[in-house]
Amino acid sequence: MASRLLRIGLIPGDGIGKEVIPAGRRVLEALPSSLGLKFEFTDLKAGFETFEKTGAALPDKTVEVLKSDCDGALFGAVSSPSKAVKGYSSPIVALRKKLDLYANVRPVKSVGTARTPIDMVIVRENTEDLYVKEERTFDAADGSGKVAEAIKRISERASYRIATMAGNIAVRRQRIRELSPHQKFVHSSPLVTITHKSNVLSQTDGLFRSTARAALADLEAAGTVAVEEQIVDSMVYKLFRQPEAYDVIVAPNLYGDILSDGAAALVGSLGLVPSANVGEKFAIGEPCHGSAPDIMGQNIANPIATLRSTALMLEFLGEDAAAARIYAAVDANLEEARLLSPDLGGTAKTDEVVEDILRRL
């Protein structure tokens, strides 16, 4: 069998990104040869440290190489200053726009003997909403002080394709359940929950709601996928009270960002939660945690979010079998709970966790 060559860009970014992205490379290199995969890696620059050195948070060369020489990429973390810095903007947000990575896909799964079984995927629209970063500050006409405004942009095109992806993910998850009858799953049938605030934002969130409904109408009519809606504030409450009720959640950019970080608390740590930035032809695996400068260089960062993000990238590159190997090795590590990083209450070093998972491959 001929091997498939995958060319992967590695963008550590800032802080602990430099410690966890090498773990993603190692797990790819350790995959069994029987899977028929080979990898080539390219080291690329982006982040606040890069901005301080070069004046560009996302160098043109990084984008050019990703477009011309890579099939996918792994992105570590970025340090975003709390105060505005002239000329600086988030490189991962810019990458999503430049590569049209319109979906941020974030699985949240409990493992082992968790009190509440959780197995959901949050599908977050990735290109618009408040993240278009169109803001302005001006003096109020009545002299009462300054006023700051931000544009919230929702389009029919973006809403339709993100809801379509959510429906496709729900169908694929159900297919995996049916092909694995020996495993226990939280959900017995696919469900997509549309999250919005159209009772207040009737124009923007109203368009997202109606367009998502239209995108999922055929799947719903055929009985393939059940569809429901949830107002975002109520969604937050129910997410924490009954997380087992949710399968696939689709949301505009801001709500998806908040919900996915909140959901991470349900499984113990952001260090466990992966994501993928996905377009029609490209996928970037990205752990959900930040750059964590307080633990940088101590070899205690949890690598599991990155390893799961690596597997998620492989899924969207069509390599489900390789992804499954990584997921199984990670789950086995967590279920045994012998080598856990400090964020999970353990004492294991980053390298020790990685080595344990590599052995399980």
Side-chain angles (χ1 to χ4, degrees), residues 197-349:
K197 188 66 176 175
S198 64
N199 57 327
V200 174
L201 300 168
S202 59
Q203 296 289 312
T204 50
D205 282 27
L207 180 61
F208 181 85
R209 172 188 175 275
S210 61
T211 305
R213 274 286 186 186
L216 295 166
D218 288 345
L219 288 175
E220 185 177 24
T224 305
V225 173
V227 179
E228 65 175 12
E229 299 177 26
Q230 193 68 58
I231 299 296
V232 66
D233 44 348
S234 176
M235 178 79 209
V236 171
Y237 176 81
K238 291 187 175 181
L239 185 70
F240 282 91
R241 295 287 294 180
Q242 51 189 83
E244 71 279 3
Y246 297 105
D247 183 18
V248 177
I249 299 167
V250 62
N253 207 337
L254 178 62
Y255 307 151
D257 194 3
I258 294 169
L259 289 172
S260 53
D261 281 2
L266 297 171
V267 293
S269 171
L270 270 175
L272 296 175
V273 183
S275 77
N277 301 284
V278 183
E280 297 299 334
K281 299 179 180 179
F282 204 85
I284 297 179
E286 178 196 5
C288 289
H289 59 67
S291 60
D294 55 320
I295 63 169
M296 180 177 63
Q298 299 178 43
N299 195 27
I300 59 173
N302 190 339
I304 285 178
T306 294
L307 300 185
R308 283 177 162 172
S309 297
T310 302
L312 193 58
M313 175 194 70
L314 289 174
E315 274 194 65
F316 284 100
L317 295 179
E319 297 296 339
D320 291 351
R325 289 291 187 103
I326 298 173
Y327 290 138
V330 168
D331 288 355
N333 166 273
L334 292 171
E335 287 171 354
E336 187 174 293
R338 182 176 60 86
L339 284 171
L340 298 177
S341 51
D343 59 311
L344 298 177
T347 59
K349 300 294 188 182

Side-chain angles (χ1 to χ4, degrees), residues 34 63 75 87 95 126 137 171 196 199 237 260 268 271 287 297 316 336 343:
S34 59
V63 178
F75 188 100
L95 268 177
N126 221 9
T137 302
V171 170
H196 57 84
N199 57 327
Y237 176 81
S260 53
F316 284 100
E336 187 174 293
D343 59 311

Side-chain angles (χ1 to χ4, degrees), residues 47-59 85-89:
F48 189 64
E49 291 181 29
T50 299
F51 172 79
E52 290 182 308
K53 292 177 181 177
T54 68
L58 180 63
V85 175
K86 186 177 180 179
Y88 177 79
S89 61

